[in-house]
Amino acid sequence: MLHLEYEISERDFMAAQWLAAKHSPSKLARWSRSVIPIFGLALLAFFFHASLQQGFSWRGLPGAGFALFFIAVPLMNRRALKKAYANATNMHGKLTLAVDEEGLQFRGPTFSSQVQWAHFARFVEDDKLFVLYQHSVRVINIVPKQSLTAQEITDLRGYFEGKIGRKNARD
């Protein structure tokens, strides 16, 4: 059995959401970080070019508005995630994680949760954290590595690889 204590900072939460979206099975979640804003930039460049070639027209403003919306998607996502973290009181303060052959037990100041291994679909990790995907695509669990020892990280990774399965997130 492995017992860990950690805290999830806003930075950890934001990084975990980025990692989860980057490896999400949903194309929209993956594309919202890069493809959609690039499309918006291309669309905006097209409208500027058309305005220079044909002269300004008020009819082009709705298209330019859509382009600006697409460009702003990552900023809107970031703002929404910051608000979600601020409102998620269960992520604030000291959290504990107990890991054994049956599953994971998460505890915090306002909750306690036992989750069996079969409830997890996969996990990803980077240098700063582990992200565990539950079978529901929208539910993830975050375990930051900053307060863990090298041995705890190795042991935790061993449990995750043996019980859940990995999708590499190493860049």
Side-chain angles (χ1 to χ4, degrees):
M1 180 174 265
L2 184 62
H3 289 277
L4 307 170
E5 285 191 5
Y6 60 94
E7 290 188 38
I8 299 174
S9 68
E10 182 181 89
R11 176 176 271 161
D12 294 330
F13 181 78
M14 299 293 284
Q17 297 299 325
W18 174 264
L19 187 61
K22 181 178 175 184
H23 295 279
S24 173
S26 165
K27 285 183 183 177
L28 182 60
R30 290 191 312 266
W31 289 5
S32 69
R33 306 290 179 164
S34 58
V35 174
I36 291 174
I38 290 170
F39 176 72
L41 283 172
L43 192 58
L44 193 59
F46 169 77
F47 284 115
F48 278 132
H49 178 70
S51 291
L52 289 174
Q53 294 295 323
Q54 300 172 5
F56 177 76
S57 170
W58 290 101
R59 292 182 299 175
L61 285 182
F66 277 115
L68 291 173
F69 173 77
F70 290 151
I71 293 168
V73 164
L75 298 173
M76 293 184 301
N77 283 344
R78 182 175 173 82
R79 182 172 182 245
L81 290 175
K82 283 181 176 254
K83 186 176 179 180
Y85 176 78
N87 292 334
T89 57
N90 59 339
M91 290 196 191
H92 300 231
K94 288 275 185 203
L95 305 173
T96 60
L97 171 62
V99 184
D100 62 21
E101 293 298 317
E102 300 297 318
L104 306 172
Q105 182 172 17
F106 298 94
R107 286 195 180 171
T110 61
F111 72 94
S112 178
S113 159
Q114 178 75 32
V115 186
Q116 295 183 354
W117 289 114
H119 204 65
F120 293 98
R122 62 193 172 113
F123 84 97
V124 294
E125 74 172 302
D126 64 9
D127 295 337
K128 296 180 182 175
L129 46 87
F130 292 101
V131 174
L132 295 95
Y133 292 82
Q134 293 189 21
H135 281 291
S136 167
V137 175
R138 296 187 177 258
V139 178
I140 62 169
N141 295 92
I142 304 164
V143 182
K145 295 179 179 179
Q146 67 191 13
S147 57
L148 306 179
T149 67
Q151 185 60 48
E152 289 172 332
I153 292 170
T154 301
D155 293 345
L156 195 55
R157 183 181 299 116
Y159 270 112
F160 293 163
E161 286 175 341
K163 300 292 185 177
I164 301 173
R166 168 192 295 272
K167 174 172 176 147
N168 276 332
R170 303 235 183 239
D171 292 342

